[in-house]
């Protein structure tokens, strides 16, 4: 998605209770936690509340997101944010108790490499919690051919960039391949079923279509033109006004343990 205002607004709506609930039962006070791909840090803050006085470190490759995260936690003694890659985590071997990964592996080109690096920094007996979307389970009603076309273009673009829009369903196999044990996988939906929720979602869609990195790439690749993007944005506005509008994103969650 990139890091424009549209994408940042989406990420900033995510919290530990809304997007990491599956992993919270495995956290305890005193745990040392790493949050990989933390974005603006809104999930990371919730993790720090649970494990305090344990230390929590947010790791994010985009400097602007780290600046945003640091700005909101100046007074938090157990929480820090650093710039870094999940491929080369700046941490010692076997140095953390828990690692959280949210909506990261579906946006990297080599998920197995990332998980091997996560396993390296985990202590024996430590756990990783991963939550990734799977576009194959997304629901949108009523269907609209223009919105369907827009979502298909987004899926095509993600594949072009080396990402996997359907990675969620592969989590159990990926964690097993990386050497984790007792892997347990579940699934859930992020639902948009009220007028306010639908408006927030379609505002995000319009932003993606008109002013995001996604729109820029679609135009540069010649997969869409400005007129087509404008039609899609208009359809999003129309969808938001429908009393029967509903949408839900499919997520898969996995917890694995280092031997």
């Amino acid at each position: 998605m990139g890091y424009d205002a549209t994408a940042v607004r989406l990420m900033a709506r995510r919290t530990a209770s809304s997007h990491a609930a599956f992993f919270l039962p495995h956290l305890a006070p005193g745990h040392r936690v790493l949050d990989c791909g933390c974005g603006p840090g809104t999930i990371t803050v919730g993790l720090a509340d649970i494990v305090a006085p344990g230390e929590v470190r947010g790791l994010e490759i985009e400097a602007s997101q780290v600046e945003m995260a640091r700005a909101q936690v100046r007074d938090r003694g157990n929480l820090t944010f650093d710039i870094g890659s999940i491929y080369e985590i700046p941490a010692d071997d076997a140095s953390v108790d828990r690692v959280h990964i949210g909506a990261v592996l579906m946006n990297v080109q080599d998920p197995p490499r990332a998980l091997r690096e996560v396993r390296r920094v985990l202590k024996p007996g430590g756990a990783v919690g991963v939550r990734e979307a799977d576009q194959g389970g997304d629901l949108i009603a009523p269907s609209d051919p223009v919105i369907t076309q827009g979502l298909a273009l987004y899926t095509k673009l993600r594949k072009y960039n080396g990402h996997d829009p359907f990675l969620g369903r592969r989590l159990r196999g990926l964690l097993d391949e990386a050497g984790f044990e007792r892997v347990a996988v579940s699934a859930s939906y992020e639902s948009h079923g009220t007028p306010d929720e639908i408006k927030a979602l379609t505002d995000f869609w319009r932003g993606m279509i008109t002013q995001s990195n996604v729109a820029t790439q679609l135009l540069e690749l010649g997969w869409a033109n400005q007129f087509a993007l404008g039609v899609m944005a208009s359809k999003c506005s129309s969808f938001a006004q429908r009393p029967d509008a509903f949408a839900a994103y499919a997520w898969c969650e996995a917890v694995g343990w280092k031997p």
Side-chain angles (χ1 to χ4, degrees), residues 202-215:
T202 52
D203 285 348
F204 167 68
W205 285 351
R206 283 199 306 273
M208 291 280 285
I209 291 167
T210 59
Q211 60 189 25
S212 73
N213 185 56
V214 171

Side-chain angles (χ1 to χ4, degrees), residues 16-123:
S17 59
S18 68
H19 279 67
F22 76 101
F23 198 44
L24 302 187
H26 302 290
L27 304 180
H31 275 160
R32 190 176 185 190
V33 179
L34 175 68
D35 186 14
C36 288
C38 64
T42 50
I43 293 176
T44 324
V45 169
L47 303 180
D49 288 338
I50 293 171
V51 303
E55 297 177 357
V56 176
R57 184 182 186 188
L59 187 69
E60 168 62 45
I61 198 168
E62 171 60 32
S64 65
Q65 299 303 289
V66 173
E67 292 176 5
M68 289 180 61
R70 287 173 176 170
Q72 68 170 324
V73 295
R74 289 193 178 96
D75 299 326
R76 297 292 294 268
N78 73 324
L79 180 56
T80 58
F81 292 95
D82 294 300
I83 300 171
S85 168
I86 194 172
Y87 290 149
E88 297 177 352
I89 298 172
D92 294 335
D93 294 358
S95 59
V96 298
D97 299 291
R98 301 287 187 268
V99 176
H100 171 260
I101 307 171
V104 174
L105 298 183
M106 63 186 185
N107 293 314
V108 301
Q109 295 182 346
D110 194 347
R113 176 185 171 189
L115 287 172
R116 290 193 299 270
E117 179 67 352
V118 166
R119 187 177 183 275
R120 177 187 69 80
V121 303
L122 271 172
K123 297 177 181 178

Side-chain angles (χ1 to χ4, degrees), residues 1 13 34 56 59 63 101 123 126-127 129 143 153 174 190 196 213:
M1 294 186 298
R13 290 168 60 90
L34 175 68
V56 176
L59 187 69
I101 307 171
K123 297 177 181 178
S143 61
L153 279 173
L174 287 169
E190 179 183 355
D196 287 345
N213 185 56

